[in-house]
Amino acid sequence: MSVSLDASGFTVVTPGVLDRVVYVSSSSGDDSNFGYSAVAPVRTIGQAKSMLRSGYGDQMLLKRGDTFYEPLGTWVKGGRSAGEPMVIGTYGVGNRPVLATGIANALTTGTSSVKTVNHLVIQGLKFWANQRDPSGGGFTGTAGNEGLRLLSGTNDLLLEDVEVDSYTTNITAAGFIGPASNIRIRRSIITDAYNTSGNSQGLYIENVSGFTLEDNVIDHNGWNDAVSGGGRTQFNHNVYIKESVGGFVARGNLISNASSHGLQARAGGVIENNTFLDNPLHMSYGLVNGGPVKAGGVTGRITNNVFQGGGTIGSLVRGWALDMSNVASATVSGNVFTDSPAASGMAISLNVVSGVTNLGSAVGVNNLLVENNVINNWTKGLQIAEGLVVGGSGATGLNNFTFRNNDIQNSQKTTVMHVGADFSTSEIHLSGNRYHSPAGTALVNIGGPSAKWYQWAPGRDFGSSETDVNYPGGNRNVGSYGSAIGLGSASGYVSAARRLGESNWQSNLLGSAAAAYVRSGYGLTGTGTPPPTVPPTVPPTVPPTVPPTVPPTVPPTVPPTVPPTVPPTVPPPPPTSATTLVPTEDATIRGGAYAGQNFGSATTIEVRQASVVDNSRMTYLKFDVSKFSTISSAMLYLKGNAMQSGSMQVEVWAAANDNWAENTITWNNDPGTKGTKIASFNAAVTGSTATTYSANLSSFFTAAKIAGEKTISLVLLSTVTSTTAGQFTSSEGGASGPYLSVKA
């Protein structure tokens, strides 16, 4: 026996010589038949079930094109192993066999006496609550049950190429009877669940360790406005993942037209390459409004997805894309957020949990990196909820949030961001972003009042600009993708995707295909490279005296490259000899594709602010100043030059903390900066001979020693985009490495 994938990516389970294969046909079968041959099938599912043996790789195959007016019912049989699973599948050619279950439940795994069903594959079937479907001709009313109830303990359960339609909740996987793990649902169609007397979900998942959704179409669940009382409600969703789920992955799905949320990912996890279309609230991540949170916060990543449009719940126009809270660590990158309804909501919102039953286990928002995303034609771009406390702890804490190299373009409101009155660069790091609103000068809401971005940005939003970006594919969306593949519109694309199946497989109808097309139009490809720098078609609305991309200058009383003068009425101290300090640690970090790499052993250190984040670098230096009780003078020396013709600006900043090491620091875990720029210099090509550059850090080091600092970390960076990098010898490069000349 073996399990493999065919050329189209569907699972093939080949039975062993001792395994039974039972054939079932409602059109040509007879329960008196032998049943082990396609030419002599049995007629009913009940008869076929009785012929299967638990603990074997037996298979029950239903004839394609047939309709069975009976459910699978209670299921207690499983296979021998992951390589020898039991299979409920199909034979023949044509459409999926239909199990028309009326208003009854289609499948329940496990009982009080048989608590575990392992190694089961259900493949190629359509489960249809035909008497609940107002469009199907056999409608009798809205009473009904859940479709597939996967309640048993299980390890290794696969649903592939199944269609589940019109149940109160289409699929529940909950591990209520025993521990459940390793459940996968792939290439399936989950549609039109609704309930007029209770909650309704496309999928409801709880108490599962290891749950994957891959390449599915999950559309129009939680509501059906063709029946009285079946309209949209905020309590019903396409996919509802409880906090008790571990190892959640959603990849390549089309998630569309939900009653409320496309995906409630209360457990966090990996969300990648999906298309979210016209859900009133596309996705929540970690956030809970009622019930328990995942203790200690969620982790994971949200990458390379497309979020488009929104919807109306009652009279409320909703267009929220990504709502996050209770985050321990996560990355949001390479996504496109486009075309929200007018006057709706935020593309990305950092929020506070509410109604939580284990509030002491909630952690707020921590270690969140949002980079290389495009937010286009959304009502507003980013919101940091007022209830979050910068540097705080518990459910309201906000710590180490980075928002860099993102585009907020064609913002429907001039207010592109809500950052709150509690904004502080100690925990909120903004850099390299591009903002534009056709409604007027970009504004930032700072907790009630709004400020013009270009006036607010200096010292807060580094290397960012107010720029109208032209994208290589124009303003692509799912509608233009539908047109490009001959389906005319977004709704035409969704309708075609709902008809996908093994007998009608078209990979260009997957959510991942639509997402890739839309993302590439904004210059995002592969794993999420940032959009290219494109000359703006409209100059930034910035007064000439306040350029948005130039950080604030150091007050004139403390020139960055000249030591402070001593008032003439006070005699200077007697001269003292200088001490040379070399860094105890030094390392360059690099963004984009290199963000997880460490360069601590390199013989050079580098600095660059690039238009593409892969080419951006910063350098960290750490000095031990514990032997000094005071410092009156400190000069930093570097030897090197620009890597290409021209010059580039190098700035010296204080690191936010000293909790880094040269052999482990990366772009992903760097501590960031604090305060304002200490000093700067220009590195330029001077021929083949490297140049020595210096920066006067006296005032900073004097103040640091007064504050009792024993270790001081510096960051070399640039906030001005350049086509070249400054490259200098590192400590590993020999005697010409960086050093401080310090006087007590």
Side-chain angles (χ1 to χ4, degrees):
M1 189 172 193
S2 66
V3 179
S4 60
L5 296 178
D6 66 16
S8 298
F10 286 91
T11 301
V12 177
V13 182
T14 304
V17 294
L18 300 179
D19 296 322
R20 294 176 179 175
V21 179
V22 181
Y23 295 86
V24 195
S25 171
S26 64
S27 61
S28 60
D30 190 311
D31 282 351
S32 64
N33 283 344
F34 181 59
Y36 299 121
S37 166
V39 298
V42 299
R43 184 178 64 83
T44 65
I45 291 172
Q47 174 63 19
K49 283 173 63 177
S50 69
M51 300 167 68
L52 302 177
R53 303 162 298 171
S54 191
Y56 288 81
D58 291 352
Q59 300 190 6
M60 180 176 77
L61 305 183
L62 280 62
K63 186 177 180 180
R64 284 184 170 270
D66 280 4
T67 297
F68 298 82
Y69 291 95
E70 58 178 320
L72 290 179
T74 300
W75 196 275
V76 295
K77 298 177 180 180
R80 182 181 293 114
S81 67
E84 301 170 288
M86 180 169 285
V87 176
I88 307 171
T90 69
Y91 74 100
V93 296
N95 295 329
R96 297 181 183 93
V98 177
L99 283 76
T101 66
I103 64 172
N105 158 248
L107 167 73
T108 297
T109 62
T111 65
S112 59
S113 58
V114 182
K115 298 180 183 296
T116 302
V117 179
N118 291 330
H119 313 306
L120 179 64
V121 174
I122 303 175
Q123 188 178 40
L125 309 179
K126 176 176 179 177
F127 300 93
W128 179 36
N130 56 305
Q131 293 177 355
R132 302 188 77 246
D133 182 356
S135 66
F139 179 71
T140 61
T142 60
N145 284 279
E146 297 176 4
L148 308 185
R149 303 175 75 233
L150 311 176
L151 306 184
S152 67
T154 188
N155 176 28
D156 182 30
L157 193 155
L158 171 64
L159 302 181
E160 182 181 270
D161 189 33
V162 301
E163 183 175 352
V164 191
D165 183 80
S166 294
Y167 293 90
T168 56
T169 286
N170 279 328
I171 298 175
T172 296
F176 286 155
I177 300 174
S181 62
N182 191 19
I183 297 177
R184 294 101 62 210
I185 301 177
R186 63 189 305 265
R187 297 191 171 195
S188 295
I189 313 297
I190 302 159
T191 52
D192 298 337
Y194 75 94
N195 192 354
T196 60
S197 59
N199 292 342
S200 173
Q201 325 296 339
L203 298 103
Y204 176 85
I205 314 299
E206 182 176 4
N207 297 321
V208 176
S209 176
F211 180 74
T212 298
L213 288 174
E214 183 179 31
D215 293 342
N216 302 289
V217 177
I218 307 170
D219 180 58
H220 204 284
N221 290 287
W223 66 300
N224 192 324
D225 56 9
V227 299
S228 177
R232 274 176 161 153
T233 165
Q234 63 180 326
F235 303 107
N236 299 342
H237 317 293
N238 267 337
V239 185
Y240 187 167
I241 306 295
K242 287 280 285 181
E243 82 295 331
S244 56
V245 175
F248 173 55
V249 176
R251 178 184 298 119
N253 304 285
L254 169 61
I255 301 176
S256 52
N257 298 302
S259 171
S260 180
H261 286 70
L263 168 61
Q264 272 208 17
R266 295 188 173 196
V270 175
I271 319 297
E272 59 187 10
N273 302 318
N274 304 283
T275 292
F276 293 84
L277 177 65
D278 289 338
N279 305 288
L281 295 91
H282 289 292
M283 179 179 167
S284 62
Y285 191 86
L287 178 66
V288 172
N289 292 314
V293 298
K294 182 173 282 292
V298 304
T299 61
R301 66 178 185 270
I302 303 165
T303 55
N304 304 341
N305 304 282
V306 168
F307 301 84
Q308 178 178 321
T312 300
I313 302 176
S315 61
L316 298 175
V317 178
R318 310 300 293 269
W320 296 75
L322 179 57
D323 208 0
M324 307 183 72
S325 190
N326 195 45
V327 175
S329 176
T331 297
V332 179
S333 66
N335 304 285
V336 171
F337 306 80
T338 189
D339 299 335
S340 77
S344 53
M346 298 290 178
I348 300 174
S349 178
L350 311 188
N351 222 320
V352 180
V353 297
S354 65
V356 171
T357 57
N358 58 338
L359 189 61
S361 298
V363 299
V365 178
N366 304 273
N367 307 308
L368 175 60
L369 172 62
V370 179
E371 66 175 353
N372 305 331
N373 303 282
V374 174
I375 301 170
N376 177 62
N377 189 28
W378 211 270
T379 300
K380 295 174 185 175
L382 170 68
Q383 173 176 275
I384 301 173
E386 290 294 329
L388 289 171
V389 179
V390 173
S393 60
T396 60
L398 175 61
N399 300 281
N400 192 26
F401 168 54
T402 300
F403 187 82
R404 66 189 180 199
N405 301 319
N406 303 287
D407 284 356
I408 300 178
Q409 292 289 300
N410 301 310
S411 177
Q412 296 169 8
K413 300 287 187 180
T414 53
T415 301
V416 296
M417 293 188 292
H418 287 238
V419 299
D422 199 29
F423 181 90
S424 171
T425 56
S426 63
E427 300 295 344
I428 302 174
H429 317 297
L430 308 179
S431 64
N433 305 298
R434 301 186 292 187
Y435 310 103
H436 171 68
S437 172
T441 299
L443 304 178
V444 178
N445 185 288
I446 52 177
S450 292
K452 293 181 179 179
W453 174 83
Y454 68 80
Q455 294 175 339
W456 175 87
R460 298 182 179 94
D461 197 348
F462 303 101
S464 298
S465 62
E466 193 171 351
T467 304
D468 185 1
V469 180
N470 285 328
Y471 294 104
N475 296 322
R476 280 187 181 177
N477 58 27
V478 179
S480 59
Y481 180 63
S483 296
I485 60 175
L487 297 172
S489 64
S491 61
Y493 161 66
V494 173
S495 294
R498 285 173 59 118
R499 296 191 294 271
L500 274 174
E502 185 177 7
S503 63
N504 176 39
W505 187 247
Q506 301 175 66
S507 60
N508 66 343
L509 297 179
L510 295 175
S512 57
Y517 172 87
V518 174
R519 293 178 62 255
S520 67
Y522 293 92
L524 299 170
T525 58
T527 57
T529 55
T533 298
V534 181
T537 57
V538 179
T541 309
V542 180
T545 57
V546 189
T549 56
V550 179
T553 58
V554 177
T557 55
V558 188
T561 56
V562 181
T565 58
V566 180
T569 57
V570 180
T576 59
S577 59
T579 301
T580 297
L581 292 181
V582 297
T584 58
E585 301 187 83
D586 62 349
T588 292
I589 60 174
R590 186 167 179 175
Y594 308 93
Q597 295 185 27
N598 172 260
F599 300 94
S601 61
T603 57
T604 60
I605 51 178
E606 298 174 0
V607 176
R608 182 182 176 189
Q609 172 69 26
S611 59
V612 177
V613 72
D614 298 62
N615 295 327
S616 293
R617 295 101 146 168
M618 297 188 292
T619 289
Y620 279 75
L621 307 172
K622 186 182 292 184
F623 294 93
D624 180 0
V625 293
S626 59
K627 69 179 180 180
F628 295 93
S629 58
T630 62
I631 292 178
S632 64
S633 173
M635 295 289 295
L636 174 67
Y637 293 92
L638 302 163
K639 192 169 185 177
N641 51 23
M643 296 175 67
Q644 298 175 353
S645 178
S647 66
M648 54 87 58
Q649 184 187 67
V650 178
E651 300 174 7
V652 185
W653 291 69
N657 59 60
D658 305 313
N659 300 325
W660 62 275
E662 69 175 3
N663 61 345
T664 59
I665 189 171
T666 67
W667 188 275
N668 287 336
N669 66 16
D670 74 301
T673 62
K674 65 181 178 181
T676 58
K677 178 180 66 176
I678 304 169
S680 64
F681 59 87
N682 285 327
V685 172
T686 56
S688 58
T689 303
T691 299
T692 297
Y693 300 93
S694 65
N696 189 335
L697 313 182
S698 301
S699 296
F700 172 77
F701 272 78
T702 298
K705 284 309 299 181
I706 292 173
E709 297 286 349
K710 295 182 179 180
T711 302
I712 295 176
S713 291
L714 303 174
V715 186
L716 308 181
L717 57 85
S718 181
T719 58
V720 177
T721 300
S722 173
T723 58
T724 187
Q727 186 178 69
F728 312 97
T729 306
S730 72
S731 295
E732 288 75 11
S736 57
Y739 68 93
L740 277 174
S741 179
V742 178
K743 293 182 180 180

